[in-house]
Amino acid sequence: MSSPGSLDPVADCPFCHIVAGTRAARFVWETDAVVAFRDIAPAAPTHVLIIPRSHVPDALSLGASHAALLAELFVVARRVAEAEGVASSGFRLVLNVGTDGGNTVNHLHLHLLGGRPMSWPPG
Ligand code: 5GP
Ligand code: ZN
């Protein structure tokens, strides 16, 4: 529970609300520990966000105890790529960290982008 004047990172987290079903999202895959849903502002024909159900703030919060969760995130990424028909054409997985990395939502998420050629390096 958050006290007056303080911010509860989970209560204030849009992706925790999506996991809880209190914020709408277009789900494409779900497992016990991971959900995948379409980005609200797609940057490619396929743009899916893959997130842990638990509130992990970002990649800087990860440790050895997250090994199984990280494996599940990448297995779901492969499943989503196959289901979206981009596994053979190719796709990009992006994990933004911090301000310069372009991170805006502080709940760990992989972007899966596909359906068009990607430039490198990214802008
Ligand atoms: P970041 O910039 O943190 O790496 O990525 C956050 C992504 O989440 C952005 O691509 C943004 O469009 C997406 N996003 C932010 N809020 C919502 C939301 O409420 N629903 C969905 N589906 N996507 C969101
Ligand atoms: Zn969260």
Side-chain angles (χ1 to χ4, degrees):
M1 184 188 292
S2 58
S3 58
S6 74
L7 290 178
D8 178 339
V10 174
D12 295 332
C13 173
F15 289 180
C16 281
H17 281 281
I18 286 173
V19 169
T22 52
R23 186 178 182 91
R26 297 166 64 201
F27 288 93
V28 297
W29 206 271
E30 297 189 56
T31 66
D32 285 350
V34 171
V35 301
F37 53 91
R38 297 193 190 284
D39 196 291
I40 202 169
T46 294
H47 188 172
V48 173
L49 300 173
I50 302 156
I51 75 168
R53 289 185 186 273
S54 55
H55 183 83
V56 178
D58 62 19
L60 297 175
S61 312
L62 292 168
S65 65
H66 296 98
L69 177 62
L70 286 171
E72 194 163 329
L73 283 171
F74 281 89
V75 169
V76 170
R78 174 169 63 83
R79 295 291 190 204
V80 169
E82 291 167 349
E84 294 287 312
V86 300
S88 57
S89 54
F91 57 93
R92 180 168 289 170
L93 293 174
V94 174
L95 200 171
N96 295 327
V97 183
T99 304
D100 283 358
N103 183 224
T104 59
V105 176
N106 295 317
H107 182 131
L108 187 73
H109 51 280
L110 282 179
H111 295 256
L112 188 154
L113 298 144
R116 65 167 171 80
M118 304 284 157
S119 61
W120 189 262

